Amino acid sequence: MELFNRLGATKTASHINSSERKVYERRRRLEAKYDEQLVAPTLSYLQAKYPHRLQHEVKNGTVLVGSDFHIWPGQNSTALRAFKKFADDLRPALVILNGDVLDFPLIGRHAPIMWESAPEPFQEIEAAQDHLHDIAVACRRARKVWNLGNHDARFEANLAANAKQYRNIKGVHLSDHFPLWEKGWSCAINSLIESGRTMVKHKPRGGGMNAARASTLNSGWSFVHGHLHSQKVTPVTDYNGDRYGVDGGMVADPSFKQFVNYTEDAPLDWRSGFPVLTYRDGRLMQPELVTVWDEKRVQFRGDLIRC
């Protein structure tokens, strides 16, 4: 049993000088006898759910956080180009995709609005693979983390609801298509350093204009979220010192097609850009925002940067 779990059928057969057919027969007998599934290494990822929380320590360095890419084929927002540039220029220690990297409108729970068209899931995945490859190349050896968002979760949720018999086939899990990125529901930075504790996750506590502040007060840590697309930094100071609530905004462009119909041309308190987190001796400095200025430039630290 241990050999099969570690080596798989082919290598186990070679190791015990037997045939694969006999190995599989023995596997079935052992599974029936011990009521325990034997899983080959190529399928072992199926037994592990996405981690509840990933951990990372940054004593001196930067962390790049991009939320709400909502990638569609043929789109390349100003903030997305800037994110790739900053991943190269800032040499971050950690790059976090903070949810809703993909959009998946065709497999969401909401009905289509009139006769709107949208890309197929495979087209979105292919487009995202291209962009995420560019980011991975730009950030070099930085750790690459992907906090899942509600739109990202549509991919596996739809399959689990409608085709659960395929759960043991490679390809039905998001990680199969993006192996370079560690996936989880949140990422805790400097959890052992009181002045640097930062929680990064897609959804805040509640909604509305005070979500970043509420999340920071409720967690006791600095808190970076996406989901609301608003982009702001809210300092919170008490007897414990300074903490920061950060709405990361959106890397997508609010004018893109995927947002037009369901927002019904309402005025949107949305901003395109992303935050940069800087740590000194483990302590979080006031987070900085990269915000789109026009179609070719972003604003950062008082400068307009072409991208």
Side-chain angles (χ1 to χ4, degrees):
M1 293 172 71
E2 188 277 331
L3 280 173
F4 190 92
N5 285 334
R6 179 164 55 88
L7 301 177
T10 302
K11 291 184 179 179
T12 297
S14 176
H15 188 82
I16 64 175
N17 194 26
S18 182
S19 68
E20 285 189 47
R21 180 178 178 180
K22 289 183 178 180
V23 167
Y24 280 117
E25 289 175 352
R26 189 169 182 181
R27 172 198 187 187
R28 287 193 293 271
R29 291 197 301 271
L30 290 169
E31 286 179 332
K33 180 178 180 180
Y34 294 102
D35 192 25
E36 180 179 338
Q37 185 180 12
L38 302 187
V39 182
T42 54
L43 297 179
S44 60
Y45 65 92
L46 299 174
Q47 304 303 305
K49 296 180 180 179
Y50 295 116
H52 172 64
R53 180 184 298 173
L54 297 168
Q55 304 272 354
H56 193 84
E57 304 301 314
V58 182
K59 185 175 181 180
N60 292 292
T62 59
V63 176
L64 206 57
V65 182
S67 298
D68 297 270
F69 291 71
H70 291 275
I71 292 172
W72 270 24
Q75 295 179 345
N76 192 8
S77 71
T78 305
L80 179 52
R81 296 195 303 272
F83 195 82
K84 296 175 184 178
K85 176 177 174 57
F86 276 65
D88 186 13
D89 292 350
L90 295 184
R91 303 290 178 90
L94 172 65
V95 175
I96 302 177
L97 312 178
N98 197 25
D100 288 359
V101 175
L102 296 143
D103 196 57
F104 291 138
L106 293 184
I107 53 176
R109 61 184 176 87
H110 301 290
I113 301 174
M114 297 184 291
W115 301 101
E116 66 179 357
S117 60
E120 296 285 343
F122 82 90
Q123 294 174 312
E124 290 187 65
I125 287 174
E126 288 178 350
Q129 285 172 333
D130 288 342
H131 289 302
L132 267 55
H133 172 75
D134 292 343
I135 295 169
V137 170
C139 70
R140 299 173 177 83
R141 296 183 179 180
R143 186 178 179 186
K144 292 168 275 292
V145 165
W146 181 342
N147 293 334
L148 297 171
N150 50 296
H151 281 255
D152 303 322
R154 288 176 174 179
F155 181 72
E156 291 187 41
N158 183 274
L159 288 164
N162 299 295
K164 62 182 179 181
Q165 63 271 29
Y166 291 101
R167 65 179 301 171
N168 290 339
I169 298 177
K170 190 171 184 178
V172 301
H173 299 269
L174 201 59
S175 288
D176 299 336
H177 305 281
F178 302 94
L180 288 179
W181 297 84
E182 296 178 68
K183 295 169 193 66
W185 293 108
S186 65
C187 183
I189 303 172
N190 291 351
S191 59
L192 300 178
I193 304 174
E194 185 173 352
S195 58
R197 291 172 179 162
T198 311
M199 175 57 68
V200 184
K201 67 187 299 290
H202 179 65
K203 282 189 176 182
R205 178 179 174 83
M209 62 183 296
N210 293 315
R213 176 179 172 82
S215 299
T216 303
L217 288 171
N218 183 70
S219 66
W221 292 17
S222 291
F223 197 101
V224 183
H225 69 81
H227 192 57
L228 301 182
H229 301 179
S230 183
Q231 200 188 50
K232 60 174 69 74
V233 175
T234 305
V236 174
T237 303
D238 54 23
Y239 291 138
N240 296 312
D242 298 328
R243 302 192 302 280
Y244 303 95
V246 182
D247 182 329
M250 58 191 304
V251 175
D253 189 317
S255 68
F256 277 172
K257 185 179 178 182
Q258 52 266 53
F259 309 115
V260 171
N261 283 334
Y262 84 80
T263 60
E264 299 178 357
D265 198 29
L268 302 175
D269 187 19
W270 292 359
R271 276 161 290 280
S272 189
F274 50 89
V276 175
L277 311 179
T278 303
Y279 295 85
R280 290 291 178 266
D281 296 322
R283 180 179 177 181
L284 176 63
M285 304 178 74
Q286 179 152 325
E288 300 171 286
L289 298 178
V290 178
T291 308
V292 169
W293 178 262
D294 57 28
E295 292 183 355
K296 296 182 179 179
R297 295 174 295 178
V298 295
Q299 50 182 315
F300 181 63
R301 295 178 180 171
D303 288 331
L304 295 177
I305 300 171
R306 194 175 184 88
C307 53

